[in-house]
Amino acid sequence: MRIFSGIQPTGQMHIGNYLGATRNWVNLQNEHSCLYTVVDLHALTTLQNPKELHDASFEKVVELLAIGLDTERCALFIQSHVKEHTELAWIFNTLTPVAELERMTQFKDKSKKNKKNINAGLLTYPVLMAADILLYQPDKIPVGKDQVQHLELTRMIARKFNQQFGHTFKEPEVLLIEEAAKIMSLEDPKKKMSKSDGPAAYISLFEEPEAIRKKVSRATTDTGKEIRFNPAKKPGISNLITIYSLFAEESVHDVEKKFADKGYAAFKKATAELLIEKLEPFRQKKQELFKRELYIQEILKQGAKRARSIAETTMQDVRSKIGLLLPN
Ligand code: AMP
Ligand code: TRP
């Protein structure tokens, strides 16, 4: 089976979106043929500082490798390195009704949040995403539920193209990444962990041990002292139990049993030490990879080469089907 997915370069990886998303990318590469891309062109739909965008793309690649993507088993590339993405997006633009784009939830949300920058790219964002995907004829697309609507549009574009020009694209299916569990904010455990709530609310996947100790020990907990999983009544402790259980790969019940007579302080300490143990290899790998710029460049070169070889074949077919005069 061929798998394709993309991630934005900007935005910190924290334990929430790791457990909810990128961990799955790592698992999938063992059994399937996977292509993963850092979508720098998509990031341009919101205002970016050029230097920061440049550095974030490199850093995201480093981070994906640090958490275990293995380029012997998957292709990892930067979206803008394969020109066919923008070419196919243009062609798809001419097939996509504006009304379909205007009803996309993400477009509505983002234009509401940022009224000063409702650019055409924000509207056609899902068309570029459809091009990303369909270029590679993948079977499944692992994404979170916020992207399902975009996947439906992708399938609609594939169908429309096929009807108009003859069968060209496979209609890919969503591989819905169910959040292993929703990881909540350390400060306000009634809210989802998100980097926008400030550093005390989340633990980065590459956090320093001392910072992990501090953040976990300061995490909001509930009254009482029992280590009991009850998200409604004890959201703080329940969140820590979830985190512990996922990283230790032990059931919630086993975690409750293990800490039955231990009290909050001891449980928090154990959670911090577990996180340090599990995250330390990621942090070290990231530091090490950061220094190997040439190696990363080579990985990206190979990744783009592999991606391009598939994308070029698709595009030749597309150009000829839609009636472009081909160069000699
Ligand atoms: P984001 O980094 O917010 O763009 O989210 C990327 C993916 O990670 C989403 O599709 C979610 O499924 C997942 N995710 C983000 N935050 C969390 C969280 N706090 N807990 C669990 N999964 C999350
Ligand atoms: N839109 C996706 C997100 O915000 C990122 C993305 C771009 C993507 N192109 C893709 C995901 C192709 C899967 C496949 O998360």
Side-chain angles (χ1 to χ4, degrees), residues 73-320:
R73 287 180 288 168
C74 70
L76 176 60
F77 67 100
I78 303 277
Q79 181 187 31
S80 64
H81 291 184
V82 182
K83 307 274 184 277
E84 282 75 6
H85 290 243
T86 44
E87 184 183 357
L88 188 58
W90 172 257
I91 294 165
F92 285 168
N93 267 328
T94 65
L95 293 175
T96 312
V98 173
E100 290 288 332
L101 296 173
E102 281 169 342
R103 65 176 196 87
M104 292 289 121
T105 309
Q106 185 177 294
F107 171 68
K108 288 195 277 192
D109 286 351
K110 286 199 177 172
S111 24
K112 218 180 284 165
K113 263 193 221 148
N114 198 346
K115 292 207 167 68
K116 287 205 189 103
N117 189 17
I118 309 179
N119 60 80
L122 200 60
L123 180 68
T124 59
Y125 178 111
V127 179
L128 179 57
M129 181 164 161
D132 295 341
I133 295 170
L134 295 177
L135 268 179
Y136 299 98
Q137 312 279 5
D139 302 284
K140 303 245 177 189
I141 316 299
V143 284
K145 59 179 180 308
D146 62 322
Q147 296 298 316
V148 169
Q149 201 182 29
H150 291 162
L151 253 296
E152 278 161 11
L153 187 78
T154 300
R155 290 164 59 89
M156 185 218 82
I157 292 174
R159 259 195 314 275
K160 200 158 175 195
F161 189 101
N162 290 345
Q163 276 162 8
Q164 216 155 314
F165 303 107
H167 187 82
T168 309
F169 295 109
K170 252 200 252 192
E171 274 184 56
E173 282 172 26
V174 174
L175 184 64
L176 190 63
I177 296 184
E178 298 282 356
E179 288 171 3
K182 201 182 267 186
I183 306 299
M184 311 308 279
S185 155
L186 298 180
E187 275 188 321
D188 176 0
K190 292 211 161 76
K191 277 168 71 179
K192 191 164 152 168
M193 178 178 284
S194 154
K195 65 148 195 161
S196 42
D197 292 325
Y202 72 90
I203 292 180
S204 150
L205 216 46
F206 306 96
E207 196 90 48
E208 303 268 350
E210 240 353 273
I212 296 179
R213 283 194 190 100
K214 208 186 237 169
K215 288 186 182 184
V216 175
S217 79
R218 290 183 187 167
T220 304
T221 38
D222 324 283
T223 50
K225 50 181 194 279
E226 258 183 301
I227 312 300
R228 259 289 146 82
F229 187 77
N230 183 340
K233 292 207 177 115
K234 292 164 81 78
I237 276 299
S238 300
N239 189 37
L240 293 179
I241 294 176
T242 303
I243 293 172
Y244 191 102
S245 137
L246 288 169
F247 276 101
E249 297 180 67
E250 290 169 20
S251 72
V252 163
H253 183 68
D254 286 349
V255 178
E256 283 177 330
K257 255 191 2 212
K258 192 156 148 187
F259 292 96
D261 49 3
K262 294 287 199 304
Y264 288 175
F267 175 57
K268 279 180 156 183
K269 191 150 186 286
T271 303
E273 295 311 314
L274 174 70
L275 280 171
I276 291 168
E277 178 199 326
K278 298 290 178 181
L279 301 186
E280 194 55 12
F282 295 165
R283 197 173 68 90
Q284 296 211 343
K285 195 83 204 278
K286 181 176 170 183
Q287 280 182 344
E288 180 201 317
L289 286 168
F290 242 121
K291 292 185 225 139
R292 301 177 63 194
E293 199 173 331
L294 286 178
Y295 170 73
I296 304 291
Q297 302 287 13
E298 187 54 33
I299 279 181
L300 290 176
K301 194 167 149 193
Q302 294 307 325
K305 200 166 145 192
R306 246 181 84 193
R308 216 175 278 128
S309 73
I310 306 171
E312 278 171 355
T313 308
T314 305
M315 272 322 291
Q316 276 164 15
D317 189 23
V318 167
R319 290 183 202 115
S320 115

